[in-house]
Amino acid sequence: MTTKVARDAPGRGKLRVWHLIVDKTACLGLCYRVMTEATCNGDGEKGWKWLLCLRVLIPASISGGSAKGESLVRLLLLVGPIQAQIQQILLEKLPEHFDSPPSLNLTDDVARLVINQFRWLDFIVDSVGFTEKLMEVLSISPLQLKKEIIGSLPEIIGDQNSSTVVAALEKLLQEDSEVIVPVLDSFSNLNLDDQLQEQAVTIALSCIRTVDAEHMPHLLRFLLLSATPANVGRIILRIREQLKFVGVSDPCVSKHKKLKGKSLANSTEASILDALRSSLRFKNILCEAILKELKSLNQPRDHKVIDVWFLILIYTNGGSLQKHAEKMLKKKIMDGCFRETLFDQCIYGQRELVKDYFPSFLSVCECLLSCKDKEARDFGIYLYKLLFEEFSDTYPRQEILGALVTHIGSAIAFEVSSALDTLNLLTSKYSEELLPLSSHINGILDYLEGFHEESLHKVYEIFCRLALSARSCPDSNSSSIANELLMIIRKQVSNSDMKYRKMGIIGTLKIVSTLGDINAAATFSSSQKSNCQEALELLKMSLDSCEKTTLLLILLHDELIVLLECKTFQPAIIEWIGKHVGEFESLFLCDLEEGTLPLKDTSSGIKGDLWMNLDGDLSPICLNILPLLSAPSQMCSSSLQILPCEFLLLSAIERLTNQGSLGGIDALLGCPLHLPSPKYLIGGHWKNLMGLQKQIVCFSLHFAINWTRELLNAFITQVVGRVDCITQTTRNETMIKLLKRLRNLVLMECLLNACLQDYPLSLPELHNFTKPPDSFLRANRSMQREKRSSERMVSESTSQDNKRRCKKDPETSQKSNPNEKLRQPTIISAFKRAGVVISQEVNESSSGQSSNGGTSQSIKNQDTDSTEAGPIDISAELKVLDMQRFKFRPLNIECFSMLSFSEGRDSCCSDPAAELPLHLYLLRDFHNKLDYLSPPSKQFPAICSVKASPGYCRVTTSEFLSKIRPLFPSIKKHLYCAFSVLRDGVETCEEHWTAQSTAAGNPDIPNLVFSKASAATFVFKEVLCCYSKMLSLPELYLQTNQPILRDMLEAFQPIEKPDNFVSGLNPLPTVGNLDYLYCGVYSSLEEVLETACSFSFLLAAEVLFTMQSLVNSIALLLEKSTDVNGKNMYGGSFQRILPFLRSKLGLSAHKLLGNNWVGEDNEIGGKNKGDIVQKILQIYLKNSESTSDLLDELACSVLPQVPSCKTENTQAAAHGFPTLCPTMFLTWCRVLHEENLEILNKLVKGVILKSRGNIQREAAKDVLIKLLQSVNIVVSLVNLCKVHDKVAMHAMAVKYGGKFVGTLLKAFNFLEVHFQAHNDIIIQLVKELQKATRIIQALCSEAKGLKRTMVTSKIPATKRSMERFLFHVKALLHSTSNGCTFWMGNLKHKDLYGQVVSSQVYANAEDETMVGGGEGEAAAAHMDGEHEEQENESAREDNVG
């Protein structure tokens, strides 16, 4: 037997080693027998056997040297003929040494020495048998040896029999999960093919649920490193489903500090996160799979804590996917998928775990707090609070406060507000803990001038709490906070700038609310004075600082009113406020003698009279408006600006001191007003007044209006409030007087609107408002444009007259005013020429000039008033007055309870129509408040810096809804009252309005008329608009507000049960359920619509829009009614009625479009009617069974029948849509373009999503057919330009045609994939679209030649889209070539009708672009919008094959 072992000994020559081995070969036989005998002897010779085994297993020295060679057994294993027997003997003898203690060294452990003999053998003769025998021994080995063998398997087995090894290891794992770590190491080190690798991954995935927590990091690391594009989704899914991340932390986790960037050695959760983080850092495929998996989840119940950690880890690692993780986290929070409980489990009680990721969590908070969406900001506030509570160390809290201060310094209103809310929340709970950190937020006080009023309130509240906590804490030395705050406020109050004094007043009253609170215990500052004394000093200081500034006094009074309503002050402070308002009588009231003025004198040439005396001869006093306004002292006239707010403060003090009753000042409710005589409001007398006198009349009405509004605000509490000391008789009398005052209010606002329309001027501000609303600015700009245009016409006519006079007598014109050429134009005249509304002070100065007869204003007034004023409708919209409505005192929400009051019992017969103007006034104010509360549209987002008056913003939406909840039946009653007036048109007693107006003390104005039809129309519209606005409030669908929603629906139920209406539903909705109530409201509105269609298109459209809001509210209710587990409490029933109501809504819209409304063109107005038709058409399209089919029918069949000009038979057109007339044709085309583009966008998005997966052949064909249908629609719409040759039509075709082509380009990858299977449809699509692109090219060329800017502004974007489309078609045909040929050249310059334009001649007339040949034909052209550029590009284009 000869054996050659080719191994080189270290430091030996190859020949010497060979001879050494040959010399030893003679001893192999003897060694083999010794080994056999040693392993076969009995137990009595155990010691000798053990020594012998060690001798044959331990490597021996070579020739007595120190270098180690191979052991005897390993040399025998390298002999091929005896290898199998040696392996079998060793494996069979191995169990005898299982009882070796684990602490033995390797040289003394026989079992481990035996296993070492099998490592890195040059060859294995019988690999299958050896592997099977080794697996048998492995199955019975002790745990420690089992781990040793498993870990050595890659070195023992090599690349052979991997399937057997994998199967055996899987079986071992099922029996004992303790060997998971070496098994995973073996899987990683074995050279497995794809199939075995997938098997190994499957084995590892099956262990996630059962593996011990300490082994979980190794398992996760193996799985994530084994991820491939084929299995990454399965791995992530199984990890999400089976990883129990919460509650697996080691109970013996150490509390010691750790180095930065290192995880805790004894924390299992930290090890898991570290394994996940390291794996995600280097494999983007894992991050993408996680984001894709989370994107597919849309229910809160499907999300787990590990999802939050996945996103945090991706965000922490940074890189290109950091922004994606941030967006995903934000979206999940806004969609309600990530609830607060998930973050509680992540952070609460896990301080040491979160510590490493604290910067990432803080960055997430910063991102959320800077979002525009309120939901995200609220969640950011919660996360800030959670981090602050969990991390009690100084450094994390400093970082949190620093981030909040950064938000506050961003100057973004909503971000500043949310950051201040967070600080306010922290100071309310942890003010004492924030004292040592106050230096980090004191810098906010240096930038107070950048805050708005709402933010100032929050800032001062934060520091007041800190100062109070500093004084109450005995160990604190932070009294400097209070001293610094007081010092800043005193500086602001004494500042000459009104802006700083305003800030000081807000801060002063905030401190007063803290000091003057009856429950305040601690001393605020370090002085020896009591809290009450300091509060009184601050009040006196603030009052002294704003005595001469009216707006600051108004602010001071309003803030005091709010504090009195929400705080309980000490008696001394209430007494001081009472003394301050005690001067009200001497300032504003005048005594009467038997109900008449003692002296009748004139003020500034204007005679006064008593208006609106509700108490008659019994009234002892009157409100002295006209004398104060006409007084020479500026102080007297400016005091009227604080009249309403001082009265409201007086009423608040009266209620506090008189158990809620206003009996001590009830004479003010019925007392008359001393105003200019009503005769000055008649056209003949009005035109004779000078400018200053007209100003006095307007200002008198303005102050009277706001006085009356505050009367309503104050005395409505005596009717709706729970005041025990008021009898029912007093309530009834007060209610009647309030209705009369409301009638006075309607009259005075109508008169003031008429005066301002004739004599525009700026009214004094009676309410502290930082900035006019956007509606005022837009209306003011439009009004000034109209004013400038009218003045331009007057000036042109005047200049022509002057030229004619100059021609007649030039010498006289020069002598009449020789210094006219040298006169400098004044600022006032420049303002007037620009159409600027002149303020109060400027009007006073200009009135002096007009009295001399030298200004153009008097000429203008004479021209305007040369004729008698026309009739004034008491119910008309007050457009001029509404532009300055923000300066008025707001009505409180409690005033809306007057909608349920009635004066009918005092009349000769019941005529509810006589009260319609009163209800209309309240409904309009109700509508304005709903506009403020409603969520802003995407086109006009809310500007948080612009806040309305306290009547708007002092109440939340939920509080507003709860206060108006009892009024729903009354609102419905007014709707049907107005509808019956419009439907029946029955003439009732005409004296009712006049009689009730006279009873309310209203003066008789001849040109003031009352139209029941007009009032009923406006009431009908306002009720429907308010109902739609309420249905759009998201807070209405909260679980706590569900009873309010139910009451809203119950109030508008039909008289008869809607059984016939719901008969088409199966199963029928249960009576009393929300779905049944929705059907009832819809059937009620549908009945109103049926009747309204017979007499008014405008009212029928309003009903239709309300029905749309009702249907949309069902979808909003389904969205808001999803619980944490993803279940919807209304899902089953509403899923049936929603498509049912949508189909009925589409039919109703079709009916409106099919009615003939010729007679109402003058009533509605062209522009308004176009907007209404547009909305109706959108409802019709969106609620049809198939929007795309309906679009195809309208664009291809109906619109081509409309003539280009209006004829006598236009309205009776055969297409069945009388509203589709030439005047409305552009509206129809625009809506069809927009809807078609929206459908194409949805198709393209669906195509992009489907292209990521496998789409079936039939499904692809359906998509292509829909794309072809959309192409046909746009081709038909663009082709209409040939008949309707209007510039607006051309601009629309270019704009939407370019957008359509640009959107279609996104689907070309899908077209390329399915070209071989559906090339006929795709080629037809390209050919059809080219018909539209050629027309668009002609439109672009024509527009540029004729310089039509409306069209040319849209050409560049459209041109780019069409050029890209051309090359996409070329690439598509080239990459999917099946015999088709593509040519590209220059288009001939043709006009819209296909005629060649002679201005451009091409050398080759046959170069017109075309595509053809092969199995199909297609046509594509380089549709260049400007023919001048084509010569420069011809060389490039002609060479393209």
Side-chain angles (χ1 to χ4, degrees), residues 379-416:
F379 206 94
I381 294 174
Y382 173 78
L383 282 185
Y384 269 120
K385 172 180 168 290
L386 188 60
L387 290 175
F388 189 88
E389 291 175 345
E390 187 60 30
F391 290 90
S392 57
D393 298 340
T394 301
Y395 173 73
R397 290 191 168 182
Q398 287 177 354
E399 292 295 313
I400 292 172
L401 294 178
L404 290 175
V405 172
T406 304
H407 287 300
I408 294 172
S410 65
I412 302 174
F414 57 81
E415 187 175 348
V416 173

Side-chain angles (χ1 to χ4, degrees), residues 233-244:
R234 182 164 60 100
I235 292 174
I236 298 301
L237 177 63
R238 192 69 63 87
I239 291 175
R240 287 191 60 260
E241 290 178 349
Q242 299 184 358
L243 178 60
K244 298 179 181 178

Side-chain angles (χ1 to χ4, degrees), residues 245-246 303-310 341-343 345-346:
F245 189 72
V246 180
H303 294 81
K304 302 180 180 181
V305 179
I306 190 62
D307 297 335
V308 178
W309 276 113
F310 271 141
T341 53
L342 283 181
F343 283 87
Q345 297 174 23
C346 285

Side-chain angles (χ1 to χ4, degrees), residues 176-372:
D176 188 3
S177 62
E178 290 293 329
V179 297
I180 180 90
V181 175
V183 168
L184 295 176
D185 291 340
S186 294
F187 284 159
S188 300
N189 295 325
L190 288 172
N191 189 14
L192 304 177
D193 57 18
D194 293 342
Q195 183 177 358
L196 289 178
Q197 185 68 30
E198 284 298 312
Q199 184 178 351
V201 171
T202 304
I203 295 170
L205 288 174
S206 64
C207 298
I208 296 178
R209 192 184 299 274
T210 58
V211 72
D212 293 339
E214 59 181 353
H215 299 148
M216 183 61 73
H218 302 276
L219 177 59
L220 294 176
R221 190 175 285 108
F222 168 78
L223 286 172
L224 296 177
L225 292 178
S226 303
T228 62
N231 62 14
V232 63
R234 182 164 60 100
I235 292 174
I236 298 301
L237 177 63
R238 192 69 63 87
I239 291 175
R240 287 191 60 260
E241 290 178 349
Q242 299 184 358
L243 178 60
K244 298 179 181 178
F245 189 72
V246 180
V248 302
S249 59
D250 191 345
C252 300
V253 60
S254 61
K255 303 294 184 182
H256 64 276
K257 300 287 183 179
K258 62 178 184 294
L259 295 177
K260 185 176 180 181
K262 302 293 184 181
S263 60
L264 287 173
N266 296 328
S267 174
T268 305
E269 288 188 344
S271 300
I272 292 175
L273 290 179
D274 189 59
L276 292 174
R277 180 180 177 181
S278 60
S279 301
L280 295 177
R281 179 181 297 172
F282 303 108
K283 297 194 73 170
N284 277 348
I285 185 177
L286 295 171
C287 302
E288 293 171 357
I290 291 171
L291 295 175
K292 182 178 179 181
E293 177 67 22
L294 294 181
K295 187 177 181 180
S296 63
L297 305 176
N298 51 17
Q299 296 296 333
R301 61 181 177 184
D302 298 331
H303 294 81
K304 302 180 180 181
V305 179
I306 190 62
D307 297 335
V308 178
W309 276 113
F310 271 141
L311 294 177
I312 292 295
L313 292 175
I314 296 174
Y315 185 86
T316 304
N317 287 335
S320 59
L321 295 177
Q322 187 180 39
K323 285 294 183 181
H324 293 80
E326 179 183 312
K327 291 179 181 178
M328 178 69 68
L329 190 63
K330 189 192 307 181
K331 185 177 185 301
K332 291 294 181 183
I333 291 173
M334 291 175 56
D335 294 344
C337 296
F338 281 179
R339 302 292 176 92
E340 295 177 354
T341 53
L342 283 181
F343 283 87
D344 284 340
Q345 297 174 23
C346 285
I347 300 174
Y348 189 72
Q350 304 284 344
R351 184 175 65 90
E352 293 297 331
L353 180 66
V354 181
K355 201 170 184 179
D356 284 340
Y357 305 96
F358 176 79
S360 297
F361 278 100
L362 191 61
S363 297
V364 170
C365 294
E366 294 172 0
C367 174
L368 292 175
L369 212 65
S370 60
C371 291
K372 293 182 179 180

